[in-house]
Amino acid sequence: MKNIRNFIKKCTHPFLKSGLKLYYSKPRKYCYESVCVQVHPDVFPPHLTFSTKILLDFIKDLELNNKTFLELGCGSGIISLLASQKGAIVTASDVNKIALNYLEESAIRNNLKVRTVYSDLFDEIDKTKFDFIIVNPPYYPKKAKNVKEKAWFCGEHFEYFEKLFSQLTEIEFDNFYMILSQDCEIEKIVSIAQKNNLKTQEASKIKNSFENNFIYKITKMN
Ligand SMILES: C[S@@+](CC[C@H](N)C(=O)[O-])C[C@H]1O[C@@H](n2cnc3c(N)ncnc32)[C@H](O)[C@@H]1O
């Protein structure tokens, strides 16, 4: 099954790549229920990927009223805006300034409140405890050539996860959720978490015809 999937991916990849390039050559609107954002071409595209929609469906069912909520690496910010619509007090961070600027405009258009922070992981984020932290990380092991590529690549040696999990040891949190796909090196990522005394538990598994996605709850080991 995996071989067939890889074969289909290989054959369609060049067409998909040029099709996507054309599709994303200008800002595109993306909506989830009544919340809409404009997505700049240099920002992670939620339209044709599965992870953002899966997280939107996931947080839709959470009780978020008056809860503090951090979306680490917010991209278009649609998840942050949905959380805000559900009554959460939201902080959205990213290393992509265009993403943050677009999110600020989207927040105004949706009449929702989100605090944006330009931050490399937790570097510039207050060390207060968030009730919820949600992450859709970049997970392909390659060095990002520019900020746009940071949406996909976590560094040749998984530097993104090394830094994130080491920072988590210094931070208090209750509900930390991260989505990963079967396409990524889950075992390697879990091993970096374990090295930092963090436990990864599967909270949800979402299957579709193309891939399986997993939402992990990350907690500190006792
Ligand atoms: C896969 S995208 C997810 C975007 C959004 N959360 C979503 O689900 O649609 C990963 C995001 O993380 C951001 N990012 C990558 N490295 C980061 C870092 N070191 N600190 C903060 N954000 C980072 C990227 O710019 C990108 O917006």
Side-chain angles (χ1 to χ4, degrees):
M1 182 64 183
K2 200 170 178 188
N3 287 343
I4 297 173
R5 212 172 28 237
N6 285 345
F7 176 74
I8 294 172
K9 270 188 186 168
K10 251 188 204 155
C11 294
T12 54
H13 184 251
F15 301 106
L16 270 179
K17 216 173 159 188
S18 48
L20 277 177
K21 209 169 166 184
L22 191 68
Y23 182 81
Y24 284 115
S25 55
K26 57 179 185 182
R28 294 272 171 188
K29 191 174 176 179
Y30 178 75
C31 294
Y32 182 83
E33 299 185 343
S34 60
V35 182
C36 292
V37 289
Q38 279 293 119
V39 188
H40 186 277
D42 287 353
V43 174
F44 180 76
H47 313 72
L48 300 177
T49 51
F50 300 111
S51 52
T52 310
K53 166 78 167 52
I54 291 170
L55 284 175
L56 286 162
D57 291 341
F58 179 72
I59 73 156
K60 188 181 156 190
D61 294 333
L62 297 177
E63 179 44 69
L64 292 180
N65 199 28
N66 284 325
K67 303 285 186 199
T68 49
F69 182 103
L70 169 66
E71 185 184 10
L72 200 67
C74 59
S76 69
I78 184 98
I79 293 171
S80 293
L81 291 172
L82 181 68
S84 171
Q85 192 184 57
K86 286 175 59 62
I89 302 146
V90 180
T91 302
S93 70
D94 211 291
V95 281
N96 185 333
K97 285 189 177 156
I98 298 176
L100 296 174
N101 291 341
Y102 266 61
L103 170 54
E104 282 158 17
E105 288 194 11
S106 296
I108 294 169
R109 278 202 212 103
N110 286 275
N111 203 17
L112 291 168
K113 212 172 155 192
V114 167
R115 184 173 73 104
T116 58
V117 183
Y118 175 70
S119 177
D120 184 340
L121 294 172
F122 282 96
D123 287 357
E124 307 301 326
I125 295 173
D126 328 325
K127 302 287 178 278
T128 50
K129 185 172 170 182
F130 288 93
D131 295 315
F132 287 88
I133 303 178
I134 302 284
V135 190
N136 180 4
Y139 49 64
Y140 294 110
K142 195 175 156 188
K143 188 172 189 274
K145 288 202 290 282
N146 50 47
V147 84
K148 180 180 180 178
E149 288 194 354
K150 286 197 170 203
W152 306 95
F153 302 137
C154 62
E156 250 178 297
H157 304 290
F158 293 82
E159 288 87 340
Y160 172 97
F161 292 97
E162 294 281 359
K163 180 168 176 177
L164 170 63
F165 293 145
S166 127
Q167 285 188 327
L168 281 190
T169 60
E170 323 257 296
I171 283 160
E172 271 196 276
F173 58 90
D174 278 335
N175 298 290
F176 187 108
Y177 292 104
M178 170 180 278
I179 188 164
L180 292 175
S181 142
Q182 69 175 76
D183 257 3
C184 71
E185 294 182 40
I186 294 185
E187 278 179 23
K188 170 73 182 169
I189 295 167
V190 167
S191 77
I192 302 171
Q194 280 169 348
K195 193 173 74 182
N196 288 283
N197 290 323
L198 297 167
K199 225 173 16 188
T200 40
Q201 277 170 305
E202 198 180 297
S204 178
K205 179 176 178 178
I206 305 93
K207 281 180 170 192
N208 63 37
S209 340
F210 293 96
E211 62 185 38
N212 293 332
N213 282 273
F214 307 89
I215 297 177
Y216 287 99
K217 180 166 186 177
I218 298 181
T219 51
K220 292 191 182 184
M221 285 181 196
N222 296 324

Coordinates of all heavy atoms in Angstrom, one line a residue, residues 60-131:
K60 N -12.5 22.6 17.3 CA -13.9 22.9 17.3 C -14.7 22.3 18.4 O -15.6 22.9 19.0 CB -14.5 22.5 15.9 CG -15.9 22.9 15.6 CD -16.3 22.4 14.3 CE -17.8 22.3 14.3 NZ -18.3 21.5 13.2
D61 N -14.2 21.1 18.8 CA -14.9 20.4 19.9 C -14.3 20.6 21.3 O -14.8 20.1 22.2 CB -14.8 18.8 19.6 CG -15.6 18.5 18.4 OD1 -16.5 19.1 18.0 OD2 -15.2 17.5 17.7
L62 N -13.3 21.5 21.4 CA -12.7 21.8 22.7 C -13.5 22.9 23.4 O -14.0 23.8 22.7 CB -11.3 22.2 22.5 CG -10.3 21.2 21.9 CD1 -8.9 21.8 21.8 CD2 -10.2 19.9 22.8
E63 N -13.5 22.8 24.7 CA -14.2 23.9 25.5 C -13.1 25.0 25.7 O -12.1 24.8 26.4 CB -14.6 23.3 26.8 CG -15.2 24.3 27.8 CD -16.2 25.2 27.1 OE1 -17.3 24.8 26.7 OE2 -15.9 26.4 27.0
L64 N -13.2 26.1 25.0 CA -12.1 27.1 25.0 C -12.5 28.4 25.6 O -11.7 29.3 25.7 CB -11.7 27.3 23.5 CG -10.9 26.1 22.8 CD1 -10.5 26.5 21.4 CD2 -9.7 25.7 23.6
N65 N -13.8 28.5 26.0 CA -14.2 29.8 26.5 C -13.4 30.3 27.7 O -13.2 29.5 28.7 CB -15.7 29.7 27.0 CG -16.3 31.1 27.0 OD1 -15.9 32.0 26.3 ND2 -17.3 31.3 27.9
N66 N -12.8 31.5 27.5 CA -11.9 32.1 28.6 C -10.6 31.3 28.8 O -9.9 31.6 29.8 CB -12.7 32.3 29.9 CG -13.6 33.5 29.8 OD1 -13.3 34.4 29.1 ND2 -14.7 33.3 30.4
K67 N -10.3 30.4 28.0 CA -9.0 29.7 28.1 C -7.9 30.4 27.4 O -8.2 31.0 26.3 CB -9.1 28.2 27.5 CG -10.2 27.4 28.1 CD -9.9 26.9 29.5 CE -10.9 26.0 30.0 NZ -11.0 25.8 31.4
T68 N -6.7 30.4 27.9 CA -5.6 31.0 27.2 C -5.1 29.9 26.1 O -5.0 28.7 26.4 CB -4.4 31.4 28.1 OG1 -4.1 30.3 29.0 CG2 -4.8 32.6 28.9
F69 N -4.8 30.4 24.9 CA -4.6 29.5 23.8 C -3.4 30.1 23.0 O -3.4 31.2 22.6 CB -5.9 29.5 23.0 CG -5.8 28.6 21.8 CD1 -6.5 27.4 21.8 CD2 -5.2 29.0 20.6 CE1 -6.5 26.5 20.6 CE2 -5.2 28.2 19.5 CZ -5.8 26.9 19.5
L70 N -2.4 29.2 22.8 CA -1.3 29.6 21.9 C -1.2 28.8 20.7 O -1.2 27.5 20.8 CB 0.0 29.5 22.7 CG 1.3 29.6 21.9 CD1 1.5 31.0 21.4 CD2 2.6 29.3 22.8
E71 N -1.2 29.4 19.5 CA -0.9 28.7 18.3 C 0.6 29.0 17.9 O 0.9 30.1 17.5 CB -1.8 29.0 17.2 CG -1.5 28.1 16.0 CD -2.3 28.4 14.7 OE1 -3.0 29.4 14.6 OE2 -2.2 27.6 13.8
L72 N 1.4 28.0 18.1 CA 2.9 28.2 17.9 C 3.1 27.9 16.4 O 2.9 26.8 15.9 CB 3.6 27.2 18.8 CG 5.1 27.5 19.0 CD1 5.3 28.7 19.9 CD2 5.7 26.3 19.7
G73 N 3.5 29.0 15.6 CA 3.7 28.8 14.2 C 2.3 28.9 13.5 O 1.8 27.9 13.0
C74 N 1.7 30.1 13.5 CA 0.3 30.2 13.2 C 0.0 30.2 11.7 O -1.1 30.0 11.3 CB -0.3 31.4 13.9 SG 0.5 32.9 13.3
G75 N 1.0 30.5 10.9 CA 0.7 30.6 9.4 C -0.4 31.5 9.1 O -0.4 32.7 9.6
S76 N -1.4 31.0 8.4 CA -2.6 31.9 8.0 C -3.3 32.4 9.3 O -4.0 33.4 9.2 CB -3.5 31.1 7.1 OG -4.2 30.1 7.9
G77 N -3.3 31.6 10.4 CA -3.9 32.0 11.6 C -5.4 31.6 11.7 O -6.1 31.9 12.6
I78 N -5.8 30.8 10.8 CA -7.2 30.3 10.8 C -7.6 29.6 12.1 O -8.6 29.7 12.7 CB -7.6 29.5 9.5 CG1 -9.1 29.2 9.5 CG2 -6.8 28.3 9.4 CD1 -9.9 30.1 8.6
I79 N -6.6 28.8 12.6 CA -6.8 28.1 13.8 C -7.0 29.0 15.0 O -7.9 28.9 15.8 CB -5.7 27.0 14.1 CG1 -5.7 26.0 13.0 CG2 -5.7 26.4 15.5 CD1 -4.5 25.0 13.0
S80 N -6.1 30.0 15.0 CA -6.2 31.0 16.1 C -7.5 31.8 16.1 O -8.1 32.1 17.1 CB -5.0 32.0 15.9 OG -3.8 31.4 16.1
L81 N -8.0 32.1 14.9 CA -9.2 32.9 14.7 C -10.4 32.0 15.2 O -11.3 32.5 15.9 CB -9.4 33.4 13.3 CG -8.4 34.5 12.9 CD1 -8.5 34.8 11.4 CD2 -8.6 35.7 13.7
L82 N -10.4 30.7 14.9 CA -11.5 29.8 15.3 C -11.5 29.8 16.8 O -12.5 29.8 17.5 CB -11.4 28.4 14.7 CG -12.5 27.5 15.1 CD1 -13.8 27.9 14.5 CD2 -12.2 26.0 14.7
A83 N -10.3 29.6 17.4 CA -10.2 29.6 18.9 C -10.7 30.9 19.5 O -11.4 30.8 20.5 CB -8.7 29.3 19.3
S84 N -10.4 32.0 18.9 CA -10.9 33.3 19.4 C -12.4 33.3 19.3 O -13.1 33.8 20.2 CB -10.2 34.4 18.6 OG -10.8 35.6 18.9
Q85 N -12.9 32.8 18.2 CA -14.4 32.8 18.0 C -15.1 32.0 19.1 O -16.2 32.2 19.5 CB -14.7 32.3 16.6 CG -16.2 32.5 16.2 CD -16.5 31.9 14.9 OE1 -16.3 30.7 14.7 NE2 -17.0 32.6 14.0
K86 N -14.3 30.9 19.5 CA -14.9 30.1 20.6 C -14.6 30.6 22.0 O -14.8 29.9 23.0 CB -14.3 28.7 20.5 CG -14.8 27.9 19.3 CD -14.1 26.6 19.1 CE -14.2 25.6 20.2 NZ -15.5 25.1 20.7
G87 N -14.1 31.9 22.0 CA -14.0 32.5 23.3 C -12.7 32.5 24.0 O -12.5 32.9 25.1
A88 N -11.7 31.9 23.3 CA -10.3 31.8 23.9 C -9.6 33.1 23.8 O -9.9 34.0 23.0 CB -9.5 30.7 23.2
I89 N -8.6 33.2 24.7 CA -7.8 34.4 24.7 C -6.5 34.0 24.0 O -5.7 33.2 24.5 CB -7.4 34.8 26.2 CG1 -8.8 35.1 26.9 CG2 -6.5 36.0 26.3 CD1 -8.8 34.7 28.4
V90 N -6.4 34.5 22.8 CA -5.4 33.8 21.8 C -4.2 34.6 21.6 O -4.2 35.8 21.3 CB -6.2 33.6 20.5 CG1 -5.2 32.9 19.5 CG2 -7.4 32.7 20.7
T91 N -3.0 33.9 21.6 CA -1.8 34.4 21.1 C -1.4 33.5 19.9 O -1.5 32.3 20.0 CB -0.7 34.2 22.2 OG1 -1.1 34.9 23.4 CG2 0.7 34.8 21.8
A92 N -0.9 34.2 18.8 CA -0.5 33.5 17.6 C 0.9 33.9 17.3 O 1.2 35.1 17.2 CB -1.4 33.8 16.5
S93 N 1.8 33.0 17.2 CA 3.2 33.4 16.9 C 3.7 32.8 15.6 O 3.2 31.8 15.2 CB 4.1 32.9 18.1 OG 4.2 31.5 18.0
D94 N 4.7 33.4 15.1 CA 5.4 32.8 13.9 C 6.7 33.5 13.6 O 6.9 34.6 14.2 CB 4.5 33.0 12.6 CG 4.7 31.8 11.6 OD1 5.7 31.8 11.0 OD2 3.8 31.0 11.5
V95 N 7.5 32.9 12.8 CA 8.7 33.6 12.3 C 8.5 34.3 11.0 O 9.4 34.9 10.4 CB 9.9 32.6 12.2 CG1 10.6 32.3 13.5 CG2 9.5 31.4 11.4
N96 N 7.3 34.1 10.5 CA 7.0 34.7 9.2 C 6.2 36.0 9.4 O 5.0 35.9 9.8 CB 6.2 33.7 8.4 CG 5.9 34.1 6.9 OD1 5.8 35.3 6.7 ND2 5.7 33.2 6.0
K97 N 6.8 37.1 9.1 CA 6.2 38.4 9.4 C 5.0 38.7 8.5 O 4.0 39.3 8.9 CB 7.2 39.6 9.2 CG 8.2 39.7 10.3 CD 9.0 40.9 10.3 CE 9.9 40.9 11.5 NZ 11.1 41.7 11.4
I98 N 5.1 38.2 7.2 CA 3.9 38.3 6.3 C 2.7 37.6 6.9 O 1.6 38.1 6.8 CB 4.3 37.8 4.9 CG1 5.4 38.6 4.3 CG2 3.0 37.9 4.0 CD1 5.9 38.0 2.9
A99 N 3.0 36.4 7.4 CA 1.8 35.6 8.0 C 1.2 36.4 9.1 O -0.1 36.6 9.2 CB 2.4 34.3 8.5
L100 N 2.0 37.1 10.0 CA 1.5 37.8 11.1 C 0.7 39.0 10.6 O -0.4 39.4 11.2 CB 2.6 38.2 12.1 CG 3.3 37.0 12.8 CD1 4.5 37.5 13.6 CD2 2.3 36.2 13.6
N101 N 1.3 39.7 9.6 CA 0.6 40.9 9.1 C -0.8 40.5 8.5 O -1.8 41.2 8.7 CB 1.4 41.6 8.0 CG 2.6 42.3 8.6 OD1 2.7 42.5 9.8 ND2 3.6 42.5 7.8
Y102 N -0.8 39.5 7.7 CA -2.1 39.0 7.1 C -3.1 38.6 8.2 O -4.3 38.8 8.1 CB -1.8 37.9 6.1 CG -1.6 38.4 4.7 CD1 -0.6 39.3 4.4 CD2 -2.5 38.0 3.7 CE1 -0.5 39.8 3.1 CE2 -2.4 38.5 2.4 CZ -1.4 39.4 2.1 OH -1.2 39.8 0.8
L103 N -2.6 37.9 9.2 CA -3.5 37.5 10.3 C -4.1 38.7 11.0 O -5.3 38.7 11.3 CB -2.7 36.6 11.3 CG -3.5 36.2 12.6 CD1 -4.8 35.6 12.3 CD2 -2.6 35.3 13.4
E104 N -3.3 39.7 11.2 CA -3.8 40.9 11.9 C -5.0 41.5 11.1 O -6.0 41.9 11.6 CB -2.7 41.9 12.1 CG -1.9 41.6 13.3 CD -0.5 42.2 13.3 OE1 -0.3 43.2 12.6 OE2 0.4 41.7 14.0
E105 N -4.8 41.5 9.8 CA -5.9 42.0 8.9 C -7.1 41.1 8.9 O -8.3 41.5 9.0 CB -5.4 42.2 7.5 CG -4.5 43.4 7.4 CD -4.2 43.8 5.9 OE1 -4.9 43.3 5.0 OE2 -3.3 44.6 5.8
S106 N -6.8 39.8 8.9 CA -7.9 38.8 8.9 C -8.7 38.9 10.2 O -10.0 38.8 10.3 CB -7.4 37.4 8.8 OG -6.8 37.2 7.6
A107 N -8.0 39.2 11.3 CA -8.7 39.3 12.6 C -9.7 40.5 12.6 O -10.8 40.4 13.0 CB -7.6 39.5 13.7
I108 N -9.2 41.6 12.0 CA -10.1 42.8 11.9 C -11.3 42.4 11.0 O -12.4 42.7 11.4 CB -9.3 44.0 11.3 CG1 -8.2 44.4 12.3 CG2 -10.3 45.2 11.0 CD1 -7.2 45.4 11.7
R109 N -11.1 41.8 9.9 CA -12.2 41.5 9.0 C -13.2 40.5 9.7 O -14.4 40.6 9.4 CB -11.7 40.8 7.7 CG -11.2 41.9 6.7 CD -11.2 41.3 5.3 NE -10.1 42.0 4.6 CZ -8.9 41.5 4.4 NH1 -8.7 40.2 4.7 NH2 -8.0 42.2 3.8
N110 N -12.7 39.6 10.5 CA -13.6 38.7 11.2 C -14.1 39.2 12.5 O -14.9 38.5 13.2 CB -12.9 37.3 11.4 CG -12.7 36.5 10.2 OD1 -13.5 35.8 9.8 ND2 -11.5 36.7 9.6
N111 N -13.7 40.4 12.9 CA -14.1 41.0 14.1 C -13.7 40.1 15.3 O -14.5 39.9 16.2 CB -15.6 41.3 14.1 CG -16.0 42.4 15.0 OD1 -15.1 43.2 15.5 ND2 -17.3 42.5 15.4
L112 N -12.5 39.6 15.3 CA -12.0 38.7 16.3 C -10.7 39.2 16.9 O -10.0 40.0 16.2 CB -11.8 37.3 15.8 CG -13.1 36.6 15.4 CD1 -12.8 35.3 14.6 CD2 -13.9 36.2 16.6
K113 N -10.4 38.8 18.1 CA -9.2 39.3 18.7 C -8.1 38.3 18.8 O -8.4 37.2 19.3 CB -9.6 39.8 20.1 CG -8.7 41.0 20.6 CD -9.3 41.6 21.9 CE -8.2 42.3 22.6 NZ -8.5 42.6 23.9
V114 N -6.9 38.6 18.3 CA -5.8 37.7 18.5 C -4.5 38.5 18.7 O -4.3 39.5 18.0 CB -5.6 36.9 17.1 CG1 -4.3 36.2 17.1 CG2 -6.7 35.9 16.9
R115 N -3.7 38.1 19.7 CA -2.4 38.8 19.9 C -1.4 38.1 19.1 O -1.2 36.9 19.2 CB -2.1 38.8 21.4 CG -0.8 39.6 21.7 CD -0.7 39.6 23.2 NE -0.2 38.3 23.7 CZ 1.0 38.0 24.1 NH1 1.9 39.0 24.1 NH2 1.3 36.8 24.6
T116 N -0.7 38.9 18.2 CA 0.4 38.2 17.4 C 1.7 38.5 18.0 O 2.0 39.6 18.5 CB 0.3 38.7 15.9 OG1 0.5 40.2 15.9 CG2 -1.0 38.4 15.2
V117 N 2.6 37.5 17.9 CA 4.0 37.7 18.4 C 5.0 37.1 17.4 O 4.8 36.0 16.9 CB 4.2 36.9 19.7 CG1 5.6 37.2 20.3 CG2 3.1 37.3 20.8
Y118 N 5.9 38.0 17.0 CA 7.0 37.5 16.1 C 8.0 36.8 17.0 O 8.7 37.4 17.8 CB 7.6 38.7 15.4 CG 8.8 38.3 14.5 CD1 8.6 37.6 13.4 CD2 10.1 38.7 14.9 CE1 9.7 37.2 12.6 CE2 11.2 38.3 14.1 CZ 11.0 37.6 13.0 OH 12.1 37.2 12.2
S119 N 8.1 35.5 16.8 CA 9.0 34.7 17.8 C 9.5 33.4 17.1 O 8.7 32.7 16.5 CB 8.2 34.4 19.0 OG 9.0 33.7 19.9
D120 N 10.7 33.2 17.4 CA 11.3 31.9 17.0 C 10.9 30.9 18.2 O 11.4 31.1 19.3 CB 12.8 32.0 16.9 CG 13.5 30.7 16.4 OD1 12.9 29.6 16.6 OD2 14.6 30.8 16.0
L121 N 10.0 30.0 17.9 CA 9.5 29.1 19.0 C 9.1 30.0 20.2 O 8.4 31.0 20.1 CB 10.4 28.0 19.2 CG 10.5 27.0 18.0 CD1 11.6 26.0 18.1 CD2 9.1 26.4 17.7
F122 N 9.6 29.6 21.4 CA 9.2 30.3 22.6 C 10.1 31.5 23.0 O 9.8 32.2 24.0 CB 9.2 29.4 23.8 CG 8.0 28.5 23.8 CD1 8.0 27.2 23.3 CD2 6.7 28.9 24.3 CE1 6.9 26.4 23.3 CE2 5.6 28.1 24.3 CZ 5.7 26.8 23.8
D123 N 11.0 31.9 22.1 CA 12.0 32.9 22.5 C 11.4 34.2 23.0 O 11.9 34.8 23.9 CB 12.9 33.2 21.3 CG 13.9 32.1 21.0 OD1 14.0 31.1 21.7 OD2 14.7 32.3 20.0
E124 N 10.3 34.7 22.3 CA 9.8 36.0 22.6 C 8.4 35.8 23.3 O 7.6 36.8 23.4 CB 9.6 36.9 21.4 CG 10.9 37.1 20.6 CD 12.0 37.7 21.4 OE1 11.7 38.5 22.3 OE2 13.2 37.3 21.2
I125 N 8.0 34.7 23.7 CA 6.7 34.4 24.2 C 6.8 34.4 25.8 O 7.7 33.8 26.3 CB 6.1 33.1 23.7 CG1 5.9 33.3 22.2 CG2 4.8 32.8 24.4 CD1 5.5 32.0 21.5
D126 N 5.8 35.2 26.4 CA 5.8 35.2 27.9 C 5.8 33.8 28.5 O 5.1 32.9 28.0 CB 4.6 35.9 28.5 CG 4.0 37.0 27.6 OD1 4.9 37.7 26.9 OD2 2.8 37.2 27.6
K127 N 6.5 33.7 29.5 CA 6.6 32.3 30.1 C 5.4 32.0 31.1 O 5.5 31.4 32.1 CB 7.9 32.2 30.9 CG 9.2 32.4 30.1 CD 9.5 31.2 29.1 CE 10.7 31.5 28.3 NZ 10.5 32.3 27.1
T128 N 4.3 32.6 30.7 CA 3.1 32.3 31.5 C 2.5 30.9 31.0 O 2.8 30.5 29.9 CB 2.0 33.3 31.2 OG1 1.8 33.5 29.8 CG2 2.3 34.7 31.8
K129 N 1.6 30.4 31.8 CA 1.1 29.1 31.5 C -0.1 29.2 30.5 O -1.0 30.0 30.8 CB 0.6 28.4 32.7 CG 0.2 27.0 32.5 CD -0.1 26.3 33.9 CE -0.8 25.0 33.7 NZ -1.0 24.4 35.0
F130 N -0.1 28.5 29.4 CA -1.2 28.6 28.5 C -2.1 27.3 28.8 O -1.5 26.3 29.0 CB -0.8 28.5 27.0 CG -0.1 29.8 26.6 CD1 1.3 30.0 26.6 CD2 -0.9 30.8 26.1 CE1 1.8 31.2 26.2 CE2 -0.3 32.0 25.6 CZ 1.1 32.2 25.7
D131 N -3.4 27.5 28.7 CA -4.3 26.3 28.9 C -4.1 25.4 27.7 O -4.2 24.2 27.9 CB -5.7 26.8 29.0 CG -6.0 27.6 30.3 OD1 -5.5 27.2 31.3 OD2 -6.6 28.7 30.2

